[in-house]
Amino acid sequence: MSEGPSSRVEGDPIVGDAGGGTTTAASTDAVDEVLKTRAMDEAPVGITIADAREPDMPLVYANAAFERITGYPPEYAVGRNCRFLQGENTRDEPVAKMRAAIENDTSTTVELRNYRRDGELFWNEVTIAPLRDDDGEVAYYVGFQQEVSRRKTAEQAAARRAARIERERAAQELLLDRLDGVVAEVTSGVTEARSRSALERRVVEGLAATYAGAWIGTYQPAEEAVVRGAAAGWVDDDEATGEESVAVGGDRTDPVGVVVTRAVTDRQVWIRACTDPTTPATAVAAVPLHYGDAMYGVAVVFAENNSEFDEHERAVLRSLGRTVATGINSLESQRTLRSEDTIELQFTVMRHPLVDLAKTLDCRLAYRGNVADRDRPTSLFELSDATTEAVRAAADGTAVTVHAVLFEGESGCLVELSVADDDLRGLLADHGAELRDVHVDGGVARFTVDVARESLARSLADTIMERYEGGDLASYRHTERREETRPEFVARLRDELTDRQYAALMRAYTGGFFEWPHEATGDDLAEAMDVCRSTFHEHLRAAQRKLIGAILDR
């Protein structure tokens, strides 16, 4: 195996073996021996020939490509068995496959890790085939070497990528299977609950069905703490529950305190390992329950396996937290409307589009109610000493859109308008607050709102004073508001109507006057009351005005 002269093999004539039968070359005499030798010497693949009749089958030939691939010159390789290319990282399986082929006088192809002369590992694709003499006995073994490191690296990278994708797919399937129940339970709990306590109970039960346990706490900004509420799983135990509240920014060594603090301040899902051997939990996650700017609390979830809180699961928990917060916001908004005890806030701001409008018009604005039949929320405002033309001109090009002027009189006009990107409206919605009144005068807007819970009222007040220029809390008081029953409402309305007004309303309603076409005309009803038609309509309009006013003012 020399790079120069090819060491022509002396001895018996040699023929090839194609795995069983004996074949000869397509040409024997047409190509001279010099050309054959040159073809082997200059072949782009490594070629070696081993003497199968000698002990340990030493190499008797190696071409130039063999040296380029392995770094070993022919003078080193000839006389040695080719195993000098093997090393610590050469696997046994391909070596054993070649040994078995030699023992069975057959050919084979393997891929194995070999070592170059400088110690560098490379992937070698080796094909060996027996060469037989005229008697059919194997006299030599020819070997072909081709470096395939790049191909193997690409194949291994593709295999690793495929394995990673398969692992991720399996993990996602497992995650979906495992979380399908908790997502369904939490979602149904949010949609079906009629109170915040019922909602929180359903949520923790749904979480505990999948995890080791869970509890929900309400954020109290005044105390800077999260007060524990509903719990399920192993935490639904007096001994396991521990303290009734978790201080925000408190004990930094307690994993629960750490994740609760981060969830409140960063409004992200935070996870920490649990090292307490007395609990079955190995990890804890804190899920913030916030709707816009309003922080309602934190859901704390315990897992028995750290891998349960991977990135995919973190996203699911974040989504569940938003779902729960949305449900709480809806219930708190309803509670504000229904509650007998609410907190009434009055606050002022100096920077608001309505303030700018009032300054431009040099007038006062008084809130008269909301309208909800457009593609955006609109409000009715009474503007003193302002004309329709002046209002439209002042609003042109500002954040205020004038949709309609309902009437214009000597003292002013009633305008339906909206404010683009009204952050204040969104802030009130986030905290479940109901707008009661707005007055704009002298460069200051005064808002009056009702909020059901003190924690939300404090949060709203703090946010307004922090966010708005000139924002100030003018009044903060608890109010008692009792819902009027239907019989009470009817009795109050009846007291407000005169006998003639009530009679006109009853006759019109029972006589089908409000149907179309009229079952009874105004003339018919006026004759029944023994009054003229105009007097009947005057009594009827007065009754309708009082009826509508009682409903809308309520």
Side-chain angles (χ1 to χ4, degrees), residues 45-48 65-66 69-70 82 85-86 90 94 98 109-116 121-127 143-152:
V45 298
I47 299 176
T48 58
F66 177 83
I69 294 172
T70 67
C82 211
L85 296 175
Q86 300 173 18
T90 302
M98 286 193 295
T109 300
V110 298
E111 291 177 350
L112 73 166
R113 302 295 297 275
N114 279 163
Y115 288 80
R116 292 189 175 92
L121 271 168
F122 73 99
W123 278 100
N124 195 2
E125 181 183 79
V126 179
T127 298
F144 302 93
Q145 291 86 20
Q146 186 171 2
E147 182 180 3
V148 291
S149 298
R150 286 188 179 181
R151 191 190 75 200
K152 289 296 293 185

Side-chain angles (χ1 to χ4, degrees), residues 14-16 23-33 35-37 39:
I14 300 172
V15 294
T23 62
T24 60
S27 63
T28 54
D29 300 328
V31 180
D32 63 24
E33 294 300 322
L35 182 57
K36 293 180 181 178
T37 302

Side-chain angles (χ1 to χ4, degrees), residues 453-531:
R453 293 184 186 272
E454 188 159 359
S455 60
L456 294 175
R458 290 183 180 275
S459 174
L460 176 60
D462 290 344
T463 304
I464 289 173
M465 288 187 288
E466 177 183 342
R467 181 175 299 182
Y468 288 92
E469 180 181 335
D472 191 21
L473 184 62
S475 173
Y476 183 102
R477 66 189 183 92
H478 292 266
T479 63
E480 292 186 3
R481 183 179 64 195
R482 189 178 70 82
E483 284 292 305
E484 188 177 41
T485 64
R486 184 175 181 277
E488 289 172 338
F489 171 75
V490 173
R492 177 172 61 83
L493 180 60
R494 177 64 184 86
D495 289 341
E496 293 180 2
L497 297 174
T498 66
D499 289 341
R500 280 296 201 179
Q501 292 168 357
Y502 182 75
L505 187 63
M506 282 293 295
R507 286 190 173 95
Y509 178 73
T510 58
F513 179 74
F514 298 115
E515 305 295 332
W516 187 258
H518 296 309
E519 295 181 8
T521 65
D523 290 331
D524 296 335
L525 297 174
E527 182 180 354
M529 292 182 64
D530 197 21
V531 297

Side-chain angles (χ1 to χ4, degrees), residues 385-424:
D385 301 323
T387 65
T388 299
E389 183 179 353
V391 171
R392 293 190 182 279
D396 186 36
T398 70
V400 177
T401 300
V402 176
H403 297 278
V405 177
L406 278 66
F407 75 82
E408 180 182 346
E410 294 182 358
S411 60
C413 55
L414 182 65
V415 178
E416 180 183 349
L417 56 82
S418 62
V419 178
D421 301 324
D422 191 352
D423 291 338
L424 183 59

Side-chain angles (χ1 to χ4, degrees), residues 205-231:
E205 288 175 349
L207 291 170
T210 296
Y211 300 99
W215 58 264
I216 284 183
T218 302
Y219 177 55
Q220 299 290 353
E223 291 79 19
E224 280 296 301
V226 174
V227 179
R228 296 191 186 206

